[in-house]
Amino acid sequence: SSVCDSMKYLWISFFMGCSFLFAEDLLLLKKENRIVKGKIIELTEDGVQFEIRGARTFFKNEEIVPQNLFEHHQKKTNLKEAQQVEQLAETAVRLELYPDAIRLLQSIVALKQESEEALKARIQEVTQLAAEQLFEKAQASENEGDLEKAEKLYKSVMERYPENSFSTQIEEALKNIAVLQENIAKEQEQEKKVADQDEAKTKEDAKLVKAQKYITGLEDLIKKGNALNVEALEFHGKGNISQANKKYEGALALYKNAIAGLISAKKYATTDELKKKLHDLYNEIKQRQVNVYNSMATMVMSDKNWKKADALLKLALKIDPINAESLRLKAEVDKNRVTFSASKRANVKPIISNQ
């Protein structure tokens, strides 16, 4: 029929076009999504007789794509794969496997062969989540006194996610760690000198002296932190939120340093009296950290920044899960967040709780 003759003519045109451009004929097998090289022996209405390395095979028209249509077919295949990869990426995000999610999302750009603003924004969002996750691990290591691990994690955040939003905090943390490590190194060197110079002292005596030095240093850090906290409260009371926040952060940094020093001091506290002294100092530092977090939460609550307040109170409750003030503030924040969310959906002004 004329229709069949026309179809046959089209196929011949496709394959002849391939033959002029290449020494070998090319076919794309749809099912396997791969290209085979060979020689066209015969074209029919139903397909093509194809020779591959001396062996002949007949391919039906619905099984193959001629070279002229390779690019169009590949775009359709890529789009389908991109949709599947995107689903896997979002699953990785839900499981907090952020580095895997980033790799998957970046592969979608290559599949689609185009630059989509929404996709770029999602990659940036997940990258920030990944940076935040690694930053929190670094903070946890620092709080536990593992300065070497904390330093590696902080540097890893900067190297892997250079556009993270924690750069200033990381730089400050690395400076504090460097100072602590330098002090520890100096103290260790001094300790060695003292031991060499005064052979009459027993190791037990040296440890007691060292423990007392640590305690003196810890008390000085706590005193400085307390002074900053007092200044922060004064600025807070005057409504100078920026200066108050700066002083609060400074107090927290000093308390963190004190915790790290306290952990180092434990190995030198060999008497019950010194052990109790360190235990009391530890509890005091933790309580002051909680008080600062509570004060900072109260400050941002006045600006109705419930999300930030919630994050600060979670840090406080992680230190002291039964702190009455933290629990009270947390309940107030939770209530206002629910009220604010419901009011936003209803497009009405929220009623803020001050209980």
Side-chain angles (χ1 to χ4, degrees), residues 89-101 126 129-130 133 136-137:
E90 292 305 322
T91 299
V93 172
R94 288 194 294 273
L95 295 174
E96 297 185 357
L97 303 173
Y98 300 126
D100 293 329
V126 176
L129 290 172
Q133 185 184 61
E136 289 175 351
K137 288 182 180 179

